[in-house]
Amino acid sequence: MLSMADTQQADEQPAAATGEAGGTDKRTAKLAQQIRAFAQSHGGTAEGQLAHIGRGRTRIALVGANGEWGNLVADSFDSAKEAAAKAGVALQDDFDGELAAKVRTGPYEWSRMAGIQVGGPANP
């Protein structure tokens, strides 16, 4: 289960490498199931935002109804968009404004942010 700031690679192998016919459809269905599971475990609903991250991959940033957040990575923008639609997750254009305001951060995020501030603890 994804929780705050966790990122999971949802589509690790291309269809040809898995040897499965319709590998893309299976990976999209698995991604949709992971999105639904995230929403169910974080208040019953979630919102998301898609962002290209390079090499054809797309990040799906999810924010649950309880403010918990996480990321999944899909092989393509179309796969990410289709999976979100199948999971019933509303997609926002940007991760700012209302969506960003819903994110609840905890001690982990605050300690990580403090570590990169001037005067914060040095990175190992």
Side-chain angles (χ1 to χ4, degrees):
M1 205 56 45
L2 298 179
S3 62
M4 297 181 338
D6 287 343
T7 300
Q8 181 175 348
Q9 178 64 45
D11 304 323
E12 294 180 1
Q13 297 180 15
T18 64
E20 298 175 14
T24 301
D25 292 338
K26 288 183 179 185
R27 288 193 311 269
T28 300
K30 180 180 178 183
L31 188 58
Q33 185 277 326
Q34 290 172 312
I35 294 169
R36 276 192 298 276
F38 175 87
Q40 289 171 354
S41 67
H42 294 292
T45 63
E47 293 180 62
Q49 190 267 337
L50 305 181
H52 294 282
I53 57 173
R55 298 185 129 183
R57 305 257 185 199
T58 299
R59 174 188 64 124
I60 307 168
L62 297 167
V63 179
N66 65 357
E68 296 286 325
W69 63 285
N71 294 298
L72 290 166
V73 178
D75 273 342
S76 70
F77 186 85
D78 290 340
S79 176
K81 189 173 180 178
E82 182 180 343
K86 285 182 178 183
V89 169
L91 294 175
Q92 305 300 323
D93 292 332
D94 298 303
F95 197 93
D96 60 5
E98 290 182 32
L99 184 59
K102 294 176 183 180
V103 172
R104 183 175 57 114
T105 56
Y108 172 79
E109 287 82 13
W110 284 103
S111 68
R112 295 287 296 162
M113 287 187 276
I116 61 172
Q117 298 297 319
V118 173
N123 288 330

